[in-house]
Amino acid sequence: MRATTVLVTGANGEIGHGLLTRLAEDGRSIVTLDVAPLEPALAGLVRREFTGSITDRALLERILAEFEIDLVFHLAALLSTRAEFTPVTAHQVNVDGTLNLLEFAHHEGESHGRPVVFLYPSSIAAYGLPDLETKMRAKRVREEEWNTPTTMYGCNKLYCEHLGRYYARHYKQLGAESPAGRVDFRCVRFPGLISAVTLPSGGSSDYAPEMIHAAARGEPYTCFVRADTRIPFMVMPDAIDALLRLASAERARLTRTAYNLTAFSPTARDICEVVTRAFPDTSVTWTTDEKRQRIVDSWPADVDDSAARRDWGFAPRHDFARAFDEYLIPAIRQRYGR
Ligand code: SER
């Protein structure tokens, strides 16, 4: 019998970096799919690397034929700012690509007779609050509130949550004996993510990681949102823990398809202050990019993640202070030798 394997799409991206390392530490056999070749440090961790697009169905069929996949982390996507420049391409990658992967998982489950667990990172971009006053009044937004995204990326993420729910429900309705419907879909709505190792590209929450990395490199930074901008964030190790914890959660305990996650909700000014304390020669100027500002202003200032805490024990280890003191500042200092 072929050994079961994990498939990671978008493996070269921000989340992929941390996830591959953790999966390899756990001794998992990993197959990756990304439009760009994996960085050498990552390539050594995987059993097989496919370079190509999730929109290429022939390529997915090749992977299906060669490997017995029991777990999918579908990370590939065009992020929110990038997607506004090329909305049709974003739809093709974010929606058509996800549909391809769900079909892939469905066929894979069908062929080996048990459901494929499918982890999908959705986003706070799935929310859309109409104005700042409403955002401030909204407090900790629950999963089913304000599901009116303003961006192509947000629409794509929200719709794919529903697509995943459709595939999962199909599975439940038909029952374990049926050959149809074999996708065990599980999804988190990530807040902005901050990694000490990599920088994101094309996101609207990128100001936080960009500011921190620029300061550590001793470079000036122009922040593209107002200093009072507030959205939820978490650091990458907690994001990876959350994905792995949800992946191994008992199915019967999961009461919903998509779960909010958060760890802390600083303003851009709060981030600037803590970065300036760590790197006193930091130079941040503020020049608002109206389009990107509108995007983050439409995202909640905080979210209610009690369902994730209750159902599968989500518990981020880093609050705002620990994120910087125990993870970001030491790891970034080491990375840039400062
Ligand atoms: N961090 C992402 C972005 O800014 C949201 O999921 O697009």
Side-chain angles (χ1 to χ4, degrees):
M1 198 181 114
R2 291 179 301 177
T4 56
T5 298
V6 185
L7 172 65
V8 182
T9 73
N12 232 351
E14 258 224 297
I15 302 174
H17 268 79
L19 183 63
L20 290 194
T21 311
R22 286 285 302 276
L23 289 170
E25 281 167 9
D26 291 348
R28 291 298 310 241
S29 157
I30 310 164
V31 169
T32 60
L33 174 57
D34 198 292
V35 281
L38 284 182
E39 288 179 14
L42 295 179
L45 305 177
V46 309
R47 177 154 163 220
R48 179 79 167 274
E49 169 190 355
F50 290 87
T51 304
S53 169
I54 53 171
T55 59
D56 180 350
R57 276 191 284 193
L59 180 54
L60 290 174
E61 269 160 35
R62 262 179 56 209
I63 301 175
L64 193 68
E66 280 188 54
F67 294 94
E68 184 168 322
I69 308 288
D70 66 343
L71 175 60
V72 175
F73 291 90
H74 173 38
L75 311 177
L78 296 190
L79 296 185
S80 57
T81 295
R82 167 76 206 284
E84 289 309 289
F85 287 102
T86 54
V88 174
T89 307
H91 192 281
Q92 283 159 352
V93 173
N94 295 349
V95 175
D96 299 347
T98 300
L99 181 65
N100 289 346
L101 260 298
L102 285 165
E103 272 297 303
F104 168 94
H106 171 83
H107 290 303
E108 190 73 21
E110 211 171 38
S111 82
H112 49 79
R114 61 179 185 279
V116 168
V117 177
F118 191 113
L119 268 288
Y120 181 67
S122 183
S123 160
I124 36 164
Y127 295 108
L129 291 114
D131 50 55
L132 268 182
E133 201 198 332
T134 314
K135 169 169 170 157
M136 290 312 153
R137 253 190 299 121
K139 301 271 184 327
R140 305 185 74 213
V141 172
R142 290 199 311 273
E143 281 91 347
E144 58 281 5
E145 295 177 308
W146 301 109
N147 291 162
T148 43
T150 60
T151 60
M152 175 55 94
Y153 172 77
C155 293
N156 296 164
K157 286 289 181 187
L158 185 60
Y159 173 63
C160 287
E161 290 181 9
H162 289 293
L163 265 185
R165 185 173 54 79
Y166 171 81
Y167 274 79
R169 199 168 57 102
H170 195 53
Y171 159 63
K172 265 196 191 157
Q173 276 177 348
L174 293 170
E177 297 310 308
S178 161
R182 298 280 180 183
V183 184
D184 181 351
F185 182 83
R186 305 169 178 210
C187 156
V188 290
R189 284 191 190 152
F190 275 133
L193 297 179
I194 314 176
S195 166
V197 183
T198 49
L199 276 164
S201 66
S204 307
S205 59
D206 295 3
Y207 60 89
E210 283 175 3
M211 190 186 299
I212 301 164
H213 282 254
R217 286 196 300 254
E219 293 168 2
Y221 183 65
T222 304
C223 185
F224 58 79
V225 294
R226 290 185 318 269
D228 67 345
T229 303
R230 189 190 294 278
I231 59 167
F233 282 98
M234 65 196 283
V235 288
M236 195 56 78
D238 285 332
I240 305 297
D241 275 349
L243 281 176
L244 293 172
R245 193 181 278 246
L246 179 57
S248 60
E250 201 187 318
R251 173 77 246 175
R253 293 188 59 89
L254 305 182
T255 58
R256 49 186 317 123
T257 307
Y259 287 92
N260 276 344
L261 302 184
T262 187
F264 45 87
S265 266
T267 61
R269 184 186 293 109
D270 294 335
I271 296 169
C272 182
E273 281 173 7
V274 78
V275 165
T276 307
R277 271 204 299 279
F279 304 101
D281 55 352
T282 294
S283 156
V284 175
T285 47
W286 306 84
T287 305
T288 304
D289 175 323
E290 292 302 335
K291 283 191 188 146
R292 297 181 101 179
Q293 183 72 58
R294 269 200 297 280
I295 293 174
V296 284
D297 282 348
S298 77
W299 294 349
D302 199 0
V303 293
D304 179 345
D305 61 5
S306 52
R309 290 174 188 264
R310 183 192 62 227
D311 285 5
W312 47 275
F314 170 63
R317 281 178 294 128
H318 302 85
D319 60 13
F320 185 58
R322 294 185 73 182
F324 280 84
D325 295 348
E326 293 177 20
Y327 169 61
L328 289 168
I329 302 293
I332 286 183
R333 264 194 218 286
Q334 194 183 16
R335 177 170 175 197
Y336 297 113
R338 279 167 49 101

